[in-house]
Amino acid sequence: MILLGPPGAGKGTQAVVLSKTYAVAHISTGDMLREAVKGGTPIGKEAESYMKKGELVPDEIVTGIVAERIARDDLKKGFILDGFPRTVAQAKSLDDALTKLGQKIDLMLYFATSDGVCIKRLSGRRVCRKCAAIFHSTNIPPRSEGVCDFCGGALYQRDDDKEETIKKRLLVYKQQTQPLIDYYKKARVLREVPGDLEVNELSEVLATTFNEAHLA
Ligand code: AP5
């Protein structure tokens, strides 16, 4: 299953819920790239400058890390791709990689979310440095300010959640990622969900959509 939508649509938040509910792996290219940056790996060093500017990391880097990840044995029950693919070239490369593994995309959930909602969500987002849990200063506040409810780690604001970078990321999404809506409509796997809904309401819609797609 793929989660597609603009930055701040709530893909990461819902991926955690879906992954727990259906006991399938959550693969986030954003998280993988941030880990690589933190670890100072060659991929991380190359990706960092693009991420800071709110631009997409080159296709060949991202498709390489995803192809390696989805070929591992722990994904037999299925998996959720969050933040990948983001270009038509990435989608084609994913199709090729899945065909080689004898698999296919069953469902693509498109989070239709308005710009204003995305901007508010991203500017208030706080992430745990230790376990990567996602909070929001007003929508989903932690019990104690600046501290993760789950592991006690410190919360921080992502570098790319600054106003100018958010605007750039929304523009990049419209130019390079939105064409995937047609790509997956043609593949007959796309279902649109209302991304502006609050977290629990949206989780309910996703569960219904998942069941209607006969994947549960
Ligand atoms: P990535 O980490 O994938 O960022 P993104 O797609 O911009 O998505 P976000 O993580 O910003 O938002 P989200 O939809 O997951 O929202 P969230 O659940 O956190 O990518 C970062 C960078 O890495 C890219 O810019 C690029 O450089 C690079 N990259 C990654 N993948 C790549 C690829 N495939 N190709 C090339 N480059 C790639 O929620 C946001 C906030 O809202 C949170 O505070 C949350 O608490 C709150 N919230 C969530 N849902 C709700 C709700 N329903 N109601 C109210 N508040 C909510």
Side-chain angles (χ1 to χ4, degrees):
M1 167 167 50
I2 297 172
L3 307 187
L4 179 88
K11 306 179 295 293
T13 301
Q14 297 297 337
V16 170
V17 179
L18 288 165
S19 147
K20 272 192 197 137
T21 309
Y22 300 106
V24 291
H26 168 203
I27 301 173
S28 156
T29 44
D31 285 348
M32 288 161 98
L33 290 167
R34 277 185 290 280
E35 274 299 306
V37 171
K38 204 165 127 191
T41 67
I43 284 180
K45 282 181 186 152
E46 195 167 349
E48 190 172 18
S49 61
Y50 296 98
M51 295 171 80
K52 269 195 174 150
K53 286 186 277 185
E55 291 171 5
L56 294 185
V57 173
D59 287 338
E60 51 286 8
I61 295 182
V62 188
T63 53
I65 58 174
V66 172
E68 190 269 324
R69 179 67 187 93
I70 63 174
R72 285 196 223 152
D73 278 347
D74 61 327
L75 300 183
K76 296 245 157 67
K77 258 194 90 184
F79 52 88
I80 300 167
L81 285 169
D82 161 16
F84 182 91
R86 255 170 152 107
T87 63
V88 171
Q90 290 182 15
K92 288 184 175 159
S93 132
L94 175 65
D95 287 345
D96 290 346
L98 288 175
T99 304
K100 278 185 198 145
L101 295 167
Q103 295 195 42
K104 62 175 178 48
I105 295 298
D106 293 311
L107 177 64
M108 203 272 233
L109 293 168
Y110 162 51
F111 289 51
T113 318
S114 50
D115 283 1
V117 166
C118 291
I119 292 168
K120 271 193 199 144
R121 287 183 186 169
L122 293 177
S123 26
R125 173 164 55 190
R126 299 293 179 267
V127 184
C128 176
R129 260 193 211 289
K130 232 162 125 187
C131 73
I134 308 167
F135 297 86
H136 188 280
S137 49
T138 52
N139 297 349
I140 305 143
R143 282 193 293 270
S144 172
E145 205 188 318
V147 181
C148 176
D149 288 357
F150 307 106
C151 74
L155 303 185
Y156 78 105
Q157 183 172 31
R158 269 171 47 177
D159 273 351
D160 58 350
D161 280 347
K162 310 277 155 62
E163 197 182 330
E164 276 319 299
T165 322
I166 291 173
K167 282 188 192 149
K168 172 78 183 186
R169 285 160 65 203
L170 284 168
L171 188 71
V172 166
Y173 168 78
K174 282 176 189 150
Q175 290 171 337
Q176 300 190 54
T177 306
Q178 252 178 0
L180 289 179
I181 296 169
D182 272 347
Y183 184 92
Y184 285 104
K185 263 186 192 158
K186 280 186 195 140
R188 297 175 174 273
V189 291
L190 182 137
R191 302 246 182 161
E192 181 171 326
V193 294
D196 283 0
L197 291 180
E198 285 311 312
V199 177
N200 293 337
E201 291 171 323
L202 182 53
S203 294
E204 279 175 28
V205 173
L206 293 181
T208 309
T209 310
F210 195 83
N211 289 332
E212 281 171 4
H214 305 297
L215 296 176

